Amino acid sequence: MLLALALIQAIVAAPPPAGTPQPPATIFAEPAALFIAACDTNGDGRVTQAELTAGVARSYATAEGAATGSIGYIAFADWAQASLGDRNALPSSFEVDRDGDNRITLAELQARFAQFFTRFDRDKDGVLTRAELITIRGAPAGDRYGIRKKK
């Protein structure tokens, strides 16, 4: 009897077999969308353009050299790590630096996030909801939960 209980416990506690793929994400949020959601200062679950503009300014002010009026690409990478979760997250320094001077100003960063705001605002009401900030993607044809059918 004790042996049977020990076997049952070992089976229940066993980790999933090696090589079992994790199902692909079908709902995700871009780093810029996560940043925008964090700009919801009044906690109503909605982000206005004014909240975003102020949030970008607050975040930009934390970047090394921001007090001089512009930051270099290395400082931008540090900002992206802290604000977007990864140094290589989009938007990249190259797409934000619109005048190509290898420096990023607050105005350039705010302009890029204004573009994100417009793209995410699917119902064009001037307010972003959490539903607008997520992206839903289906698995590729023939791919269910990361497991392809054998031919």
Side-chain angles (χ1 to χ4, degrees), residues 73 94 96-103 108:
Y73 284 10
F94 299 106
V96 174
D97 181 15
R98 300 307 298 165
D99 61 7
D101 67 352
N102 296 324
R103 307 287 299 168
E108 287 173 321

Side-chain angles (χ1 to χ4, degrees), residues 110-130:
Q110 286 175 325
R112 183 62 184 111
F113 272 93
Q115 291 172 332
F116 280 119
F117 190 96
T118 300
R119 179 168 60 93
F120 290 131
D121 190 12
R122 289 187 293 245
D123 61 8
K124 305 301 178 204
D125 68 349
V127 176
L128 295 179
T129 62
R130 298 301 189 263

Side-chain angles (χ1 to χ4, degrees), residues 4-150:
L5 287 174
L7 286 173
I8 290 173
Q9 183 178 7
I11 291 170
V12 171
T20 302
Q22 180 177 353
T26 56
I27 299 176
F28 68 94
E30 296 176 40
L34 294 172
F35 176 85
I36 292 169
C39 292
D40 176 18
T41 53
N42 63 2
D44 65 355
R46 301 160 42 97
V47 179
T48 64
Q49 183 67 57
E51 284 177 309
L52 178 58
T53 300
V56 171
R58 278 191 307 278
S59 181
Y60 181 86
T62 66
E64 185 177 334
T68 66
S70 67
I71 59 174
Y73 284 10
I74 293 173
F76 182 84
D78 293 342
W79 173 87
Q81 176 71 42
S83 298
L84 303 175
D86 190 273
R87 294 177 179 286
N88 298 311
L90 297 177
S92 74
S93 54
F94 299 106
E95 68 181 274
V96 174
D97 181 15
R98 300 307 298 165
D99 61 7
D101 67 352
N102 296 324
R103 307 287 299 168
I104 296 167
T105 65
L106 173 59
E108 287 173 321
L109 189 58
Q110 286 175 325
R112 183 62 184 111
F113 272 93
Q115 291 172 332
F116 280 119
F117 190 96
T118 300
R119 179 168 60 93
F120 290 131
D121 190 12
R122 289 187 293 245
D123 61 8
K124 305 301 178 204
D125 68 349
V127 176
L128 295 179
T129 62
R130 298 301 189 263
E132 290 174 305
L133 293 172
I134 61 171
T135 301
I136 300 174
R137 292 207 176 141
D143 187 6
R144 177 119 198 239
Y145 302 109
I147 303 171
R148 293 202 181 267
K149 293 181 182 178
K150 303 223 189 265

